[in-house]
Amino acid sequence: MILKVNATRMELLQMKKKLIIAKKGHKLLKDKEDELMRQLLEMIKSIRELRKEVENEISSVVGRYQFAKASMNKETEDEIFLIPTKKINISVREKNLMSVRVPEFTKEVEGKIRSYGYAFTSGELDASLLALDKIMEKVVSLAEKEKTIQLLADEIEKTRRRVNALEYIMIPNIEDTIKYISQRLAEMERSNTTRLMKVKDIVRAH
Amino acid sequence: MANKIAAIGKRDAILPYKAIGVEIYITEEKNEFKTIIEKLVKEEYAIVLVTEEIAEKYADIIKEYNEYMIPSIIPVPGTEGSTGYGARRLREAVKKAVGADIYAE
């Protein structure tokens, strides 16, 4: 598609400048996309394993907890969780990955699980809670990685759209326009020459 | 900054988290879920664990916070074991970005 411009030498120069900038931008964005993609692929490998591990372990903990629950009455269950003595805080740091802001989580733990008496609870309960506590480390890292992947994926999509817009619309349009203007200018020059020749002939005939 | 972890889901599936220091919110109802998520986002929770059944049911609510840096909302298996939604969600994100399904093994 030819852009709406006047076919003048001025416009031609401007178009040529624009083309150079568009090409430079295209190259930069393309590089960015490639690098983001590389990061994403790297993360996918590790997260697939991690996700599976976490899922399996949590499923088994929840299952064991159901067993533990079966052997106590509801009041005891409520009591156990009434006042948790343990606290998990996550300190969040921001990391810059190719100008995408991604979080980095570190786990900080305060206190121990012991918030209930051992007399009315089963060993199964202790075991399942301990196991869950152990998994938390992985859960935190899973949360960090999943967020990163999500943010990267969004950014890649955005970047790719920009690259495509430049590659398939902006740059071809400018190139077409440049061609159009230079042809128009050449045509104008030819018509000028013939007119001059014609005028000369008329002048000579007198 | 120090931020907290929360878990949302059915009582049986998330109660154990309370003992290890995760804040729990028991709900299965859509509007309630929405208000809880909004509250957690406002208070800058770092991680929100949501049981898979609920995460899948209310995926559109969770999606709104995809581009926020925190919280990281991730699905975890509930009482029925893993439904595979967590993996499926990741796979979607990757498919959207790469344009090809490369998450599968």
Side-chain angles (χ1 to χ4, degrees), chain A residues 2-8 10-12 14-15 18 173-174 176-178 180-181 184:
Chain A
I2 296 161
L3 301 173
K4 269 189 193 149
V5 287
N6 294 324
T8 60
M10 243 323 235
E11 288 289 355
L12 183 66
Q14 257 168 21
M15 280 296 145
K18 243 190 194 167
N173 279 357
I174 295 176
D176 283 355
T177 312
I178 289 177
Y180 163 73
I181 295 178
R184 236 347 242 287

PDB file of all heavy atoms in Angstrom, chain A residues 2-8 10-12 14-15 18 173-174 176-178 180-181 184:
ATOM      1  N   ILE A   2       0.485   2.215  -0.799  1.00  0.00           N
ATOM      2  CA  ILE A   2       1.264   3.449  -0.859  1.00  0.00           C
ATOM      3  C   ILE A   2       0.720   4.432   0.161  1.00  0.00           C
ATOM      4  O   ILE A   2      -0.488   4.611   0.284  1.00  0.00           O
ATOM      5  CB  ILE A   2       1.188   4.052  -2.270  1.00  0.00           C
ATOM      6  CG1 ILE A   2       1.834   3.080  -3.261  1.00  0.00           C
ATOM      7  CG2 ILE A   2       1.869   5.398  -2.323  1.00  0.00           C
ATOM      8  CD1 ILE A   2       1.450   3.317  -4.679  1.00  0.00           C
ATOM      9  N   LEU A   3       1.610   5.014   0.906  1.00  0.00           N
ATOM     10  CA  LEU A   3       1.178   5.981   1.910  1.00  0.00           C
ATOM     11  C   LEU A   3       0.732   7.268   1.234  1.00  0.00           C
ATOM     12  O   LEU A   3       1.132   7.556   0.105  1.00  0.00           O
ATOM     13  CB  LEU A   3       2.338   6.279   2.872  1.00  0.00           C
ATOM     14  CG  LEU A   3       2.904   5.068   3.618  1.00  0.00           C
ATOM     15  CD1 LEU A   3       4.146   5.472   4.383  1.00  0.00           C
ATOM     16  CD2 LEU A   3       1.873   4.511   4.568  1.00  0.00           C
ATOM     17  N   LYS A   4      -0.096   8.038   1.921  1.00  0.00           N
ATOM     18  CA  LYS A   4      -0.605   9.287   1.340  1.00  0.00           C
ATOM     19  C   LYS A   4       0.430  10.382   1.522  1.00  0.00           C
ATOM     20  O   LYS A   4       0.515  10.990   2.590  1.00  0.00           O
ATOM     21  CB  LYS A   4      -1.911   9.676   2.030  1.00  0.00           C
ATOM     22  CG  LYS A   4      -3.106   9.109   1.326  1.00  0.00           C
ATOM     23  CD  LYS A   4      -4.380   9.683   1.894  1.00  0.00           C
ATOM     24  CE  LYS A   4      -5.561   8.870   1.412  1.00  0.00           C
ATOM     25  NZ  LYS A   4      -6.636   8.843   2.380  1.00  0.00           N
ATOM     26  N   VAL A   5       1.248  10.598   0.502  1.00  0.00           N
ATOM     27  CA  VAL A   5       2.240  11.665   0.605  1.00  0.00           C
ATOM     28  C   VAL A   5       2.292  12.404  -0.729  1.00  0.00           C
ATOM     29  O   VAL A   5       1.825  11.903  -1.751  1.00  0.00           O
ATOM     30  CB  VAL A   5       3.649  11.109   0.899  1.00  0.00           C
ATOM     31  CG1 VAL A   5       3.729  10.621   2.319  1.00  0.00           C
ATOM     32  CG2 VAL A   5       4.028  10.046  -0.086  1.00  0.00           C
ATOM     33  N   ASN A   6       2.847  13.596  -0.711  1.00  0.00           N
ATOM     34  CA  ASN A   6       3.069  14.323  -1.962  1.00  0.00           C
ATOM     35  C   ASN A   6       4.333  13.782  -2.599  1.00  0.00           C
ATOM     36  O   ASN A   6       5.298  13.478  -1.904  1.00  0.00           O
ATOM     37  CB  ASN A   6       3.237  15.819  -1.678  1.00  0.00           C
ATOM     38  CG  ASN A   6       1.960  16.415  -1.138  1.00  0.00           C
ATOM     39  OD1 ASN A   6       0.866  16.010  -1.550  1.00  0.00           O
ATOM     40  ND2 ASN A   6       2.097  17.343  -0.206  1.00  0.00           N
ATOM     41  N   ALA A   7       4.305  13.648  -3.901  1.00  0.00           N
ATOM     42  CA  ALA A   7       5.474  13.104  -4.577  1.00  0.00           C
ATOM     43  C   ALA A   7       6.519  14.189  -4.776  1.00  0.00           C
ATOM     44  O   ALA A   7       6.642  14.765  -5.850  1.00  0.00           O
ATOM     45  CB  ALA A   7       5.059  12.500  -5.915  1.00  0.00           C
ATOM     46  N   THR A   8       7.229  14.511  -3.721  1.00  0.00           N
ATOM     47  CA  THR A   8       8.282  15.529  -3.835  1.00  0.00           C
ATOM     48  C   THR A   8       9.592  14.941  -3.352  1.00  0.00           C
ATOM     49  O   THR A   8       9.618  13.903  -2.692  1.00  0.00           O
ATOM     50  CB  THR A   8       7.952  16.746  -2.944  1.00  0.00           C
ATOM     51  OG1 THR A   8       7.861  16.283  -1.596  1.00  0.00           O
ATOM     52  CG2 THR A   8       6.646  17.393  -3.330  1.00  0.00           C
ATOM     53  N   MET A  10      11.514  16.168  -1.140  1.00  0.00           N
ATOM     54  CA  MET A  10      11.521  16.265   0.316  1.00  0.00           C
ATOM     55  C   MET A  10      10.957  15.004   0.971  1.00  0.00           C
ATOM     56  O   MET A  10      11.574  14.400   1.844  1.00  0.00           O
ATOM     57  CB  MET A  10      10.586  17.395   0.689  1.00  0.00           C
ATOM     58  CG  MET A  10      11.042  18.592   1.363  1.00  0.00           C
ATOM     59  SD  MET A  10      12.148  18.902   2.517  1.00  0.00           S
ATOM     60  CE  MET A  10      11.012  19.713   3.600  1.00  0.00           C
ATOM     61  N   GLU A  11       9.773  14.634   0.504  1.00  0.00           N
ATOM     62  CA  GLU A  11       9.111  13.443   1.066  1.00  0.00           C
ATOM     63  C   GLU A  11       9.966  12.210   0.846  1.00  0.00           C
ATOM     64  O   GLU A  11      10.064  11.343   1.704  1.00  0.00           O
ATOM     65  CB  GLU A  11       7.748  13.230   0.400  1.00  0.00           C
ATOM     66  CG  GLU A  11       6.677  14.219   0.802  1.00  0.00           C
ATOM     67  CD  GLU A  11       6.191  14.012   2.219  1.00  0.00           C
ATOM     68  OE1 GLU A  11       6.612  13.029   2.871  1.00  0.00           O
ATOM     69  OE2 GLU A  11       5.401  14.853   2.694  1.00  0.00           O
ATOM     70  N   LEU A  12      10.572  12.145  -0.318  1.00  0.00           N
ATOM     71  CA  LEU A  12      11.399  10.988  -0.640  1.00  0.00           C
ATOM     72  C   LEU A  12      12.516  10.837   0.377  1.00  0.00           C
ATOM     73  O   LEU A  12      12.752   9.742   0.907  1.00  0.00           O
ATOM     74  CB  LEU A  12      11.977  11.148  -2.052  1.00  0.00           C
ATOM     75  CG  LEU A  12      12.806   9.976  -2.555  1.00  0.00           C
ATOM     76  CD1 LEU A  12      11.933   8.751  -2.737  1.00  0.00           C
ATOM     77  CD2 LEU A  12      13.518  10.319  -3.852  1.00  0.00           C
ATOM     78  N   GLN A  14      12.601  12.024   3.385  1.00  0.00           N
ATOM     79  CA  GLN A  14      12.033  11.667   4.687  1.00  0.00           C
ATOM     80  C   GLN A  14      11.687  10.187   4.754  1.00  0.00           C
ATOM     81  O   GLN A  14      11.937   9.512   5.741  1.00  0.00           O
ATOM     82  CB  GLN A  14      10.787  12.499   4.938  1.00  0.00           C
ATOM     83  CG  GLN A  14      11.067  13.636   5.907  1.00  0.00           C
ATOM     84  CD  GLN A  14       9.934  14.635   5.939  1.00  0.00           C
ATOM     85  OE1 GLN A  14       8.807  14.318   5.562  1.00  0.00           O
ATOM     86  NE2 GLN A  14      10.239  15.826   6.373  1.00  0.00           N
ATOM     87  N   MET A  15      11.104   9.676   3.663  1.00  0.00           N
ATOM     88  CA  MET A  15      10.726   8.258   3.610  1.00  0.00           C
ATOM     89  C   MET A  15      11.950   7.359   3.764  1.00  0.00           C
ATOM     90  O   MET A  15      11.923   6.341   4.431  1.00  0.00           O
ATOM     91  CB  MET A  15      10.041   7.952   2.281  1.00  0.00           C
ATOM     92  CG  MET A  15       8.592   8.360   2.255  1.00  0.00           C
ATOM     93  SD  MET A  15       7.657   7.414   3.441  1.00  0.00           S
ATOM     94  CE  MET A  15       6.472   8.602   3.975  1.00  0.00           C
ATOM     95  N   LYS A  18      12.945   7.247   7.291  1.00  0.00           N
ATOM     96  CA  LYS A  18      11.983   6.429   8.037  1.00  0.00           C
ATOM     97  C   LYS A  18      12.255   4.946   7.849  1.00  0.00           C
ATOM     98  O   LYS A  18      12.180   4.159   8.781  1.00  0.00           O
ATOM     99  CB  LYS A  18      10.564   6.742   7.543  1.00  0.00           C
ATOM    100  CG  LYS A  18       9.664   7.340   8.590  1.00  0.00           C
ATOM    101  CD  LYS A  18       8.255   7.370   8.056  1.00  0.00           C
ATOM    102  CE  LYS A  18       7.377   8.244   8.902  1.00  0.00           C
ATOM    103  NZ  LYS A  18       6.108   8.532   8.237  1.00  0.00           N
ATOM    104  N   ASN A 173       5.201  -0.932   3.207  1.00  0.00           N
ATOM    105  CA  ASN A 173       4.509   0.294   2.822  1.00  0.00           C
ATOM    106  C   ASN A 173       5.487   1.399   2.485  1.00  0.00           C
ATOM    107  O   ASN A 173       5.337   2.092   1.485  1.00  0.00           O
ATOM    108  CB  ASN A 173       3.612   0.775   3.970  1.00  0.00           C
ATOM    109  CG  ASN A 173       2.308   0.029   3.996  1.00  0.00           C
ATOM    110  OD1 ASN A 173       2.056  -0.797   3.119  1.00  0.00           O
ATOM    111  ND2 ASN A 173       1.492   0.291   4.985  1.00  0.00           N
ATOM    112  N   ILE A 174       6.482   1.555   3.338  1.00  0.00           N
ATOM    113  CA  ILE A 174       7.454   2.620   3.097  1.00  0.00           C
ATOM    114  C   ILE A 174       8.223   2.353   1.813  1.00  0.00           C
ATOM    115  O   ILE A 174       8.435   3.255   0.997  1.00  0.00           O
ATOM    116  CB  ILE A 174       8.428   2.751   4.293  1.00  0.00           C
ATOM    117  CG1 ILE A 174       7.653   3.200   5.531  1.00  0.00           C
ATOM    118  CG2 ILE A 174       9.511   3.765   3.987  1.00  0.00           C
ATOM    119  CD1 ILE A 174       8.498   3.275   6.772  1.00  0.00           C
ATOM    120  N   ASP A 176       7.199   0.697  -0.818  1.00  0.00           N
ATOM    121  CA  ASP A 176       6.309   0.992  -1.943  1.00  0.00           C
ATOM    122  C   ASP A 176       6.252   2.485  -2.204  1.00  0.00           C
ATOM    123  O   ASP A 176       6.309   2.939  -3.346  1.00  0.00           O
ATOM    124  CB  ASP A 176       4.889   0.491  -1.654  1.00  0.00           C
ATOM    125  CG  ASP A 176       4.786  -1.009  -1.831  1.00  0.00           C
ATOM    126  OD1 ASP A 176       5.796  -1.602  -2.261  1.00  0.00           O
ATOM    127  OD2 ASP A 176       3.721  -1.578  -1.525  1.00  0.00           O
ATOM    128  N   THR A 177       6.132   3.235  -1.107  1.00  0.00           N
ATOM    129  CA  THR A 177       6.007   4.685  -1.248  1.00  0.00           C
ATOM    130  C   THR A 177       7.256   5.286  -1.872  1.00  0.00           C
ATOM    131  O   THR A 177       7.180   6.155  -2.741  1.00  0.00           O
ATOM    132  CB  THR A 177       5.751   5.320   0.128  1.00  0.00           C
ATOM    133  OG1 THR A 177       4.729   4.590   0.778  1.00  0.00           O
ATOM    134  CG2 THR A 177       5.328   6.759  -0.014  1.00  0.00           C
ATOM    135  N   ILE A 178       8.411   4.789  -1.416  1.00  0.00           N
ATOM    136  CA  ILE A 178       9.665   5.297  -1.970  1.00  0.00           C
ATOM    137  C   ILE A 178       9.727   5.040  -3.477  1.00  0.00           C
ATOM    138  O   ILE A 178      10.065   5.921  -4.269  1.00  0.00           O
ATOM    139  CB  ILE A 178      10.864   4.634  -1.264  1.00  0.00           C
ATOM    140  CG1 ILE A 178      10.969   5.172   0.160  1.00  0.00           C
ATOM    141  CG2 ILE A 178      12.164   4.914  -2.016  1.00  0.00           C
ATOM    142  CD1 ILE A 178      12.067   4.534   0.962  1.00  0.00           C
ATOM    143  N   TYR A 180       7.205   4.606  -5.481  1.00  0.00           N
ATOM    144  CA  TYR A 180       6.201   5.437  -6.137  1.00  0.00           C
ATOM    145  C   TYR A 180       6.726   6.850  -6.334  1.00  0.00           C
ATOM    146  O   TYR A 180       6.659   7.402  -7.426  1.00  0.00           O
ATOM    147  CB  TYR A 180       4.927   5.439  -5.282  1.00  0.00           C
ATOM    148  CG  TYR A 180       3.960   6.542  -5.597  1.00  0.00           C
ATOM    149  CD1 TYR A 180       3.195   6.501  -6.768  1.00  0.00           C
ATOM    150  CD2 TYR A 180       3.799   7.610  -4.727  1.00  0.00           C
ATOM    151  CE1 TYR A 180       2.298   7.511  -7.055  1.00  0.00           C
ATOM    152  CE2 TYR A 180       2.908   8.627  -5.010  1.00  0.00           C
ATOM    153  CZ  TYR A 180       2.161   8.577  -6.169  1.00  0.00           C
ATOM    154  OH  TYR A 180       1.281   9.584  -6.443  1.00  0.00           O
ATOM    155  N   ILE A 181       7.303   7.425  -5.294  1.00  0.00           N
ATOM    156  CA  ILE A 181       7.780   8.808  -5.392  1.00  0.00           C
ATOM    157  C   ILE A 181       8.906   8.913  -6.421  1.00  0.00           C
ATOM    158  O   ILE A 181       8.904   9.809  -7.262  1.00  0.00           O
ATOM    159  CB  ILE A 181       8.270   9.332  -4.028  1.00  0.00           C
ATOM    160  CG1 ILE A 181       7.107   9.410  -3.042  1.00  0.00           C
ATOM    161  CG2 ILE A 181       8.865  10.726  -4.181  1.00  0.00           C
ATOM    162  CD1 ILE A 181       7.523   9.862  -1.667  1.00  0.00           C
ATOM    163  N   ARG A 184       7.485   8.730  -9.852  1.00  0.00           N
ATOM    164  CA  ARG A 184       6.763   9.948 -10.159  1.00  0.00           C
ATOM    165  C   ARG A 184       7.745  11.067 -10.522  1.00  0.00           C
ATOM    166  O   ARG A 184       7.554  11.795 -11.503  1.00  0.00           O
ATOM    167  CB  ARG A 184       6.011  10.356  -8.920  1.00  0.00           C
ATOM    168  CG  ARG A 184       4.494  10.588  -8.882  1.00  0.00           C
ATOM    169  CD  ARG A 184       3.774  10.684 -10.121  1.00  0.00           C
ATOM    170  NE  ARG A 184       3.163  11.995 -10.218  1.00  0.00           N
ATOM    171  CZ  ARG A 184       2.106  12.349  -9.500  1.00  0.00           C
ATOM    172  NH1 ARG A 184       1.523  11.500  -8.684  1.00  0.00           N
ATOM    173  NH2 ARG A 184       1.611  13.543  -9.617  1.00  0.00           N
TER     174      ARG A 184
END
